[in-house]
Amino acid sequence: MAEALADAIDQASEEVILAAMTLFQTDEIPFLGAALKRCLARGVSVRAVVRPERFELKDYPDPATERLIESGLHLLGVTGLHAKGFMIDGKFCGLQSANFNPYSLDTGCKTANLEFGIVGSVDHPVLSEWGSLIRHLADQPTHCFAHDC
C-alpha cells in the first residue's frame, strides 16, 4: 500500500490530502517519506488531517513531520477523526484501514497492520463519496497545528 500511495503522490501535480488518525515517522517508510518530500519540493499542496489529540503529545510532531512542515506540509486536525484515506489531484483516492506511520504501512515492520485498502478513480461510485469526505475534512478542520492554516 505504501508503494502504491508513493507512486500516486509522485504523480501529483496540484494537491495531496492525507487523512488518518496519525501521521508520523514517515522517514521510516522509505517510499512514502521520499515521495512526500519530492511532492512538496515540486510545489504541490500537501495537507495532512489527523486527530488533534496528537498535537498535545510532547514529542509530536516528530522530527520527520517537522521537516515536512518546514517544506510546506499543512498539518490539520479534525476532532474524533477515524477516517483513513487520501485524495490526489481530485481524481484519485484511496480508502484504507492504515494510518500514515510505519506501524501501519511498513510491511517489514513486525507490527504492520494494514487490513485493507481500496484505491482508484474518484469516478467510482464508492470512491466518489469517499473523496468528497476527504476534501471536506481538509477544508473544514477543527484544529490547525501550523500558524499559516
Side-chain angles (χ1 to χ4, degrees), residues 29 41 46 87-88 143 147:
I29 314 167
V46 180
M87 184 161 54
I88 298 173
H143 295 76
H147 65 284

Side-chain angles (χ1 to χ4, degrees), residues 9 12-18 36 39-48 72-74 87-89 135:
I9 289 171
S13 61
E14 297 172 21
E15 75 171 342
V16 172
I17 302 171
L18 305 174
L36 286 168
C39 188
L40 289 163
R42 289 194 313 273
V44 173
S45 169
V46 180
R47 294 183 283 172
L73 172 78
H74 294 266
M87 184 161 54
I88 298 173
D89 291 342
R135 177 165 306 285

